[in-house]
Amino acid sequence: KEYQTHMYLDRSGRKHVIESHIEDKQGNVIKSFPSSNNESHIAELRWDHTYENGYQVKDGIYTWFIKADDMLHSGTINDNLI
């Protein structure tokens, strides 16, 4: 399984600070992704359904978060629908 989502940013050419992570239903961060500082107009999150240690997560409901330029976006991942 792989989940991915995109967030579109402005095309100003300036650098965007992007941070992202996945949380379980209890609000525990189970996977963090390296922060980036780039000029892209798309912030992308790709998750292979693993914890930080590389082990596969159980099917369930998870929440993704992407913070770009101090704006926080989030969504739900329901493994039962993937």
Side-chain angles (χ1 to χ4, degrees):
K1 291 182 183 180
E2 182 176 274
Y3 178 82
Q4 69 177 9
T5 189
H6 301 86
M7 186 174 87
Y8 295 95
L9 308 171
D10 66 63
R11 294 178 178 259
S12 65
R14 67 184 175 89
K15 289 192 174 193
H16 300 281
V17 177
I18 302 166
E19 301 171 358
S20 54
H21 70 273
I22 305 285
E23 293 182 3
D24 63 16
K25 288 193 301 187
Q26 291 75 34
N28 301 307
V29 175
I30 60 166
K31 183 91 173 211
S32 295
F33 301 92
S35 296
S36 64
N37 189 353
N38 61 52
E39 296 174 5
S40 175
H41 67 279
I42 299 174
E44 181 179 64
L45 181 143
R46 288 178 181 248
W47 182 45
D48 60 0
H49 290 78
T50 60
Y51 292 101
E52 292 283 0
N53 62 13
Y55 289 110
Q56 195 74 29
V57 300
K58 295 179 182 176
D59 284 351
I61 298 173
Y62 299 91
T63 305
W64 59 263
F65 295 87
I66 298 176
K67 183 178 178 183
D69 301 329
D70 294 324
M71 292 181 55
L72 183 64
H73 299 266
S74 64
T76 302
I77 303 166
N78 185 340
D79 269 346
N80 300 316
L81 300 177
I82 296 178

